[in-house]
Amino acid sequence: MTAEPRIDGATDVASLPAPFVRWFSKRGWSPRAHQLELLSKADSGHSVLLIAPTGAGKTLAGFLPSMVDVTQRPKRRPGEAHRGIHTLYISPLKALAVDIQRNLETPVSEMGLPLTMETRTGDTPSHKRQRQKLNPPDILLTTPEQLALLIASREAEQLFADLRYVILDELHALVTSKRGHLLSLGIARLRRLAPGLQTVGLSATVAEPDELRRWLVSQEKAGAMSELISVEGGAKPEITILDSEERVPWSGHSARYAISDIYRAIGRHQTTLLFVNTRSQAELVFRELWRVNEDSLPIALHHGSLDVGQRRKVEKAMTANALRAVVATSTLDLGIDWGDVDLVVHIGAPKGASRLAQRIGRANHRMDEPSRAVLIPANRFEVLECRAALEANYLGAQDTPPLIDGGLDVLCQHVLGMACAGAFQADDLYLEVRQASPYANLDRETFERAIQFVATGGYALRSYERYARIRQTADGTWRLSHPSIAQQYRLNVGTIIEAPMLSVRLTRHKGRGANVRGGPVLGKIEESFLETMVAGDTFLFAGKVLRFEGIRENECFVSNAPGNDAKIPYYAGGKFPLSTYLADQVRGMLAEPERWQALPDQVSDWLRIQAEKSVLPRREDLLVETFPRGSRYYMVLYPFEGRLAHQTLGMLLTRRLERAKARPLGFVATDYALAVWSLRDMGRMFNTSELTLSSLFDEDMLGDDLEAWLAESWLLKRTFRNCALIAGLIEKRHPGKEKSGRQVTVSADLIYDVLRSHEPDHILLQATRSDAASGLLDVKRLAEMLSRIKGRIMHKRLERISPLAVPIMLEIGKEPVFGEAQDALLAEASDDLIKEAME
């Protein structure tokens, strides 16, 4: 448990029960004012949102009402039935739940409190989970998915009858996704099972507190909000951007150029936490650090695909301060107190000011001492983004995404879960669902469509018995069609749709088939990646170079490969989108030369030469450059709206350019820019008014052009597949067997085609379009950009490539070669482009 030293404004500890007074006194501490204020508000029956900086003791504050209440309740008499759960703690990460239990055990043990605590995650053995239903602990630390399973069980009413508190840690990370929608519905059910339920939300980074305050309480009274406690202060972090003597790459994401600098930083600190944005970056950085690890420093790797045993081993070593560095993805983002971390290294741009603040908070987990962090930009545009994120952090700016309405596919899953718990009346369930903030505006017609979907699969599928999962009885209640439906629900619950994965098992034997013998499981890898490989291919995973031996059932067999070079890298894991706040700040930095003095010389020189050779756009403008190169003509634009929005824009622009007879050949998009190349001179077409920029970038491209593209695109099918899995229309897992990724995709594609032809207003097609607009397509952000640039497009026709265009031009036609060979090719290509652009 993080120490709570006495500070100004601390409140008298005497207001606490005697065991707590003695514990604080023995340690020479006083509770912080906000901890006792939260206790007071909870005692008065209020739900509370606590916003406080890292190290302010949020965890102890959140649990204090529970610990005090459990201490003061009457002891259970001999022969009395087991009590239900008193407090639920819900975390976005399994590792965080485990860490919090470990931190709480110290004060609970030292105070001799009569309470029990246990975790319940996907890693908890099934026999322990079953026992928890029969003999539950006082405090259960769990995840949103496990809550969904618990409330869907027949024991839910007894299990939660005594529930007093629900503590929601890192609330900002829970509420912005479909996991948050499912969790909000789960809490709405808990309020019915335990009418006196109170919630406590804990968060360090919040852009709009009132949204979370509404989320924490029932919306039976529209607009109701929880109490708010906001803690100011905390030492400002000390953040620097690496100014390496090496040349900052023009493009790419590996940051390999900075490995020596990173290794020296690790050597100067006690424990360093290195954050990257993808699993591929984690594997590469880990491998490169060990390549230069002349001092044999203990450096570990942690990401979600690694075997749980390996992850727990790393976490235990971190807690014991036995490691000098850990390379991690978002699996260690939130709230975890890992020993004496005194430096955070962020490799690659953070993509959001709030995300950076969250990750930096993992260092020096104390409120009154500064966290220290170093940002490592992987390319030149990332230098600008890192600078913008650093300035945002010092200003205290937050850019957590706004909350959205609850997903209809999630609603359908919840309806089935409630039928698993017992028969229900539609009127009662509708009122219950509307208490959840994401569903507060749900109309009755849409709710009935969700019910009918679970009952029939929809109009086009109603003749298939397999989609009839609930039925209405004579008294109007809805019940499961068959008891086996409940088992299938339990196997498929949740909203996290991962790519189909195969276990990776290490073997000493070369070859395929009967000769392959199993060894330890290293983790899981996407099925689609492994299916592209042939026996003998080598790839990087779990910090090792592995040789692919073959696939048998749901396992991939590998052996240790000789040497240090992998033929095929393991590139997987999602990339974060660039936040709108940071995009705006980067545009502002380009437009204000006085801010360039804070940038490394090689980057500020790049911008100055761009201003001389071409032009730099004003903050609200869109710069469009056109130039010839070789036998092609290029158009490069710089919206800075993120890769997803740029990819959608690229698809729509190429369709329009095709109609205008510009003969486009292709496009490439990054977070910062978009390049289109063609056989005709687009710059000349603009200058002669054969094609106008205003018509090319007209907002009407989001009408018929978008619909026409979507009709022939795989993107909607991909999105539909995820919605169908969440809603339960397609089940990946069945008792005793599991569908392959290919089987799931084929099933989804067939149903999608049927629904598009025969029931275009199906509830899952509605959910699919909504998801695509805010997810893979980012249509909302693209629409805002098109509106912003109306009448503000700057066209610069050039005779040759500009300095600003070099990074995205290097993305065109990259050779599928990796490692040092790729670096050499990129260096050669960039040298030619740089010479052309800069001289």
Side-chain angles (χ1 to χ4, degrees):
M1 178 63 65
T2 302
E4 309 297 330
R6 188 184 302 275
I7 61 169
D8 292 340
T11 308
D12 188 1
V13 73
S15 59
L16 290 167
F20 294 83
V21 174
R22 289 193 297 269
W23 185 73
F24 276 103
S25 177
K26 184 177 179 180
R27 292 191 167 225
W29 296 348
S30 288
R32 299 182 187 273
H34 60 269
Q35 293 171 334
L36 292 183
E37 184 182 0
L38 195 154
L39 177 61
S40 174
K41 289 182 182 296
D43 282 347
S44 300
H46 298 293
S47 292
V48 185
L49 171 63
L50 172 61
I51 301 173
T54 296
K58 289 190 296 295
T59 302
L60 183 58
F63 277 97
L64 206 53
S66 299
M67 294 162 72
V68 169
D69 192 63
V70 169
T71 303
Q72 295 178 336
R73 69 182 178 180
K75 290 185 177 181
R76 188 164 66 92
R77 294 188 298 272
E80 185 180 347
H82 290 294
R83 292 187 174 114
I85 296 167
H86 178 278
T87 297
L88 264 182
Y89 166 89
I90 298 176
S91 155
L93 296 177
K94 292 182 285 189
L96 182 53
V98 174
D99 179 64
I100 293 299
Q101 182 191 18
R102 185 181 63 244
N103 286 344
L104 282 174
E105 283 172 347
T106 298
V108 168
S109 173
E110 291 179 352
M111 283 188 264
L113 300 183
L115 62 82
T116 54
M117 286 185 302
E118 292 181 4
T119 58
R120 182 188 178 97
T121 71
D123 296 335
T124 305
S126 58
H127 70 274
K128 183 176 179 181
R129 279 183 277 173
Q130 190 60 36
R131 194 262 303 152
Q132 286 172 341
K133 287 184 181 181
L134 303 174
N135 183 16
D138 298 311
I139 298 177
L140 183 66
L141 302 96
T142 190
T143 61
E145 292 72 27
Q146 290 299 316
L147 174 60
L149 286 169
L150 288 172
I151 61 171
S153 69
R154 298 283 180 178
E155 302 90 350
E157 196 162 333
Q158 179 181 349
L159 193 61
F160 295 113
D162 299 318
L163 187 65
R164 178 77 189 276
Y165 293 107
V166 175
I167 302 168
L168 300 135
D169 207 351
E170 305 293 352
L171 182 60
H172 62 281
L174 283 168
V175 300
T176 55
S177 66
K178 288 187 178 183
R179 287 185 89 198
H181 301 165
L182 186 64
L183 177 58
S184 72
L185 293 169
I187 293 175
R189 170 49 58 108
L190 291 177
R191 290 193 187 100
R192 188 181 77 75
L193 298 175
L197 177 68
Q198 294 168 239
T199 56
V200 176
L202 307 176
S203 186
T205 52
V206 178
E208 297 292 339
D210 285 355
E211 288 185 336
L212 299 193
R213 295 174 68 192
R214 284 189 289 272
W215 197 97
L216 283 171
V217 298
S218 168
Q219 293 302 299
E220 187 173 9
K221 180 182 177 182
M225 292 194 287
S226 73
E227 294 287 308
L228 173 65
I229 300 173
S230 186
V231 181
E232 302 298 329
K236 288 288 185 184
E238 297 175 3
I239 311 172
T240 58
I241 299 174
L242 177 68
D243 189 1
S244 177
E245 295 180 1
E246 301 290 331
R247 187 178 74 171
V248 178
W250 292 81
S251 68
H253 301 281
S254 71
R256 190 183 273 110
Y257 78 98
I259 289 297
S260 295
D261 297 287
I262 295 169
Y263 182 70
R264 285 193 290 270
I266 292 171
R268 292 193 298 268
H269 293 81
Q270 182 170 327
T271 308
T272 301
L273 198 50
L274 298 99
F275 279 114
V276 296
N277 289 332
T278 67
R279 295 197 296 272
S280 65
Q281 285 176 307
E283 292 281 354
L284 188 148
V285 169
F286 176 73
R287 187 75 180 177
E288 289 297 306
L289 284 173
W290 271 99
R291 185 176 59 82
V292 299
N293 191 3
E294 297 175 351
D295 301 317
S296 297
L297 301 178
I299 301 173
L301 177 66
H302 192 289
H303 61 68
S305 286
L306 294 176
D307 179 65
V308 61
Q310 176 64 22
R311 296 200 306 271
R312 294 292 174 264
K313 184 178 177 182
V314 172
E315 292 159 13
K316 186 176 181 181
M318 278 286 284
T319 305
N321 293 316
L323 297 174
R324 293 294 297 276
V326 176
V327 183
T329 59
S330 55
T331 51
L332 296 185
D333 261 8
L334 302 171
I336 301 172
D337 189 4
W338 294 126
D340 294 328
V341 174
D342 55 349
L343 179 69
V344 164
V345 174
H346 197 291
I347 299 173
K351 304 303 173 190
S354 295
R355 180 175 294 111
L356 177 62
Q358 188 74 52
R359 288 180 163 182
I360 288 174
R362 299 312 102 220
N364 212 3
H365 221 231
R366 299 171 184 84
M367 179 177 178
D368 308 311
E369 298 179 22
S371 300
R372 291 179 175 82
V374 179
L375 308 185
I376 312 288
N379 58 60
R380 297 195 172 205
F381 272 125
E382 284 197 354
V383 173
L384 304 180
E385 187 185 333
C386 285
R387 186 71 213 175
L390 184 153
E391 293 175 0
N393 193 274
Y394 285 136
L395 291 172
Q398 301 292 345
D399 54 7
T400 46
L403 305 192
I404 59 174
D405 288 340
L408 297 179
D409 48 351
V410 177
L411 174 62
C412 293
Q413 181 182 126
H414 181 70
V415 168
L416 180 58
M418 294 307 90
C420 293
F424 66 83
Q425 290 279 353
D427 289 346
D428 295 338
L429 186 58
Y430 175 62
L431 294 176
E432 178 185 310
V433 164
R434 293 241 321 190
Q435 291 181 24
S437 179
Y439 297 91
N441 298 317
L442 179 71
D443 61 82
R444 183 59 188 258
E445 180 187 358
T446 303
F447 177 76
E448 289 295 339
R449 288 171 61 208
I451 294 278
Q452 289 304 315
F453 163 76
V454 181
T456 66
Y459 174 80
L461 303 174
R462 69 190 187 284
S463 59
Y464 297 92
E465 187 66 26
R466 61 183 295 188
Y467 299 119
R469 292 171 290 167
I470 60 174
R471 58 184 174 82
Q472 194 170 24
T473 56
D475 61 356
T477 59
W478 289 94
R479 302 172 183 272
L480 289 180
S481 300
H482 191 276
S484 64
I485 301 291
Q487 185 179 8
Q488 289 174 222
Y489 172 84
R490 287 192 292 271
L491 289 172
N492 293 278
V493 72
T495 63
I496 300 175
I497 303 297
E498 296 181 340
M501 310 283 273
L502 298 181
S503 294
V504 179
R505 189 178 290 278
L506 186 65
T507 176
R508 295 181 180 177
H509 299 272
K510 303 285 193 294
R512 188 173 173 176
N515 294 328
V516 176
R517 293 291 182 269
V521 172
L522 301 179
K524 292 179 179 289
I525 294 186
E526 282 83 353
E527 180 182 60
S528 57
F529 171 80
L530 293 170
E531 285 181 341
T532 65
M533 306 185 75
V534 297
D537 282 347
T538 56
F539 64 101
L540 187 62
F541 182 67
K544 305 171 182 288
V545 177
L546 302 171
R547 183 183 190 274
F548 177 77
E549 301 297 344
I551 294 173
R552 190 169 64 200
E553 297 177 350
N554 287 326
E555 291 191 324
C556 161
F557 290 89
V558 299
S559 60
N560 284 317
N564 294 317
D565 296 320
K567 178 181 177 184
I568 304 170
Y570 172 37
Y571 279 86
K575 289 185 173 68
F576 298 113
L578 176 66
S579 77
T580 53
Y581 176 85
L582 286 189
D584 178 69
Q585 292 302 304
V586 171
R587 288 196 301 269
M589 196 175 302
L590 286 175
E592 300 166 22
E594 61 273 15
R595 296 174 65 181
W596 299 353
Q597 62 186 4
L599 302 173
D601 289 344
Q602 53 185 309
V603 176
S604 57
D605 289 345
W606 170 50
L607 298 182
R608 273 191 288 273
I609 297 172
Q610 167 69 18
E612 295 169 7
K613 300 280 187 180
S614 176
V615 67
L616 285 164
R618 293 182 292 269
R619 190 175 201 137
E620 297 303 319
D621 293 352
L622 174 67
L623 171 61
V624 177
E625 294 178 326
T626 55
F627 51 84
R629 193 165 195 272
S631 60
R632 305 284 187 263
Y633 294 92
Y634 294 86
M635 175 176 69
V636 179
L637 42 146
Y638 307 91
F640 295 94
E641 293 294 350
R643 187 184 302 267
L644 295 177
H646 292 173
Q647 285 177 332
T648 300
L649 179 60
M651 291 299 302
L652 298 178
L653 284 178
T654 50
R655 294 179 75 90
R656 291 195 156 191
L657 289 168
E658 187 70 44
R659 287 203 303 271
K661 310 298 184 186
R663 301 176 70 189
L665 297 171
F667 75 91
V668 66
T670 68
D671 269 334
Y672 314 104
L674 169 68
V676 181
W677 57 97
S678 67
L679 291 176
R680 288 194 64 193
D681 186 345
M682 291 174 281
R684 185 175 182 279
M685 294 176 74
F686 294 143
N687 281 2
T688 61
S689 297
E690 183 181 350
L691 177 63
T692 66
L693 286 165
S694 59
S695 63
L696 186 62
F697 289 91
D698 194 284
E699 292 171 89
D700 65 5
M701 75 163 62
L702 298 180
D704 292 343
D705 278 344
L706 179 61
E707 288 300 318
W709 172 46
L710 290 179
E712 60 192 48
S713 169
W714 57 270
L715 280 170
L716 273 193
K717 283 191 174 182
R718 175 176 163 187
T719 307
F720 175 81
R721 174 186 183 276
N722 292 346
C723 290
L725 283 166
I726 290 171
L729 185 65
I730 299 169
E731 292 165 331
K732 180 172 173 54
R733 298 178 185 88
H734 289 265
K737 61 181 179 178
E738 182 166 335
K739 284 186 179 180
S740 69
R742 188 184 295 109
Q743 288 172 321
V744 170
T745 299
V746 169
S747 299
D749 288 354
L750 288 172
I751 295 174
Y752 175 80
D753 290 337
V754 168
L755 295 182
R756 276 200 63 208
S757 300
H758 300 288
E759 194 179 354
D761 62 344
H762 190 279
I763 192 169
L764 287 194
L765 291 184
Q766 181 182 339
T768 297
R769 287 189 288 269
S770 176
D771 279 8
S774 60
L776 288 171
L777 304 180
D778 216 350
V779 171
K780 181 174 182 289
R781 188 161 174 182
L782 180 55
E784 291 169 352
M785 185 211 82
L786 293 174
S787 175
R788 170 175 61 82
I789 64 170
K790 201 167 188 177
R792 304 183 67 99
I793 303 176
M794 305 167 60
H795 174 222
K796 188 72 174 178
R797 190 180 182 194
L798 304 170
E799 293 302 317
R800 62 182 62 195
I801 182 176
S802 74
L804 208 61
V806 170
I808 193 160
M809 291 291 287
L810 285 170
E811 298 290 334
I812 297 173
K814 278 187 178 176
E815 294 292 329
V817 180
F818 303 91
E820 292 181 8
Q822 182 196 46
D823 286 350
L825 280 172
L826 284 177
E828 183 180 325
S830 64
D831 286 344
D832 292 341
L833 282 170
I834 294 160
K835 185 176 181 180
E836 183 179 338
M838 304 287 277
E839 292 183 359

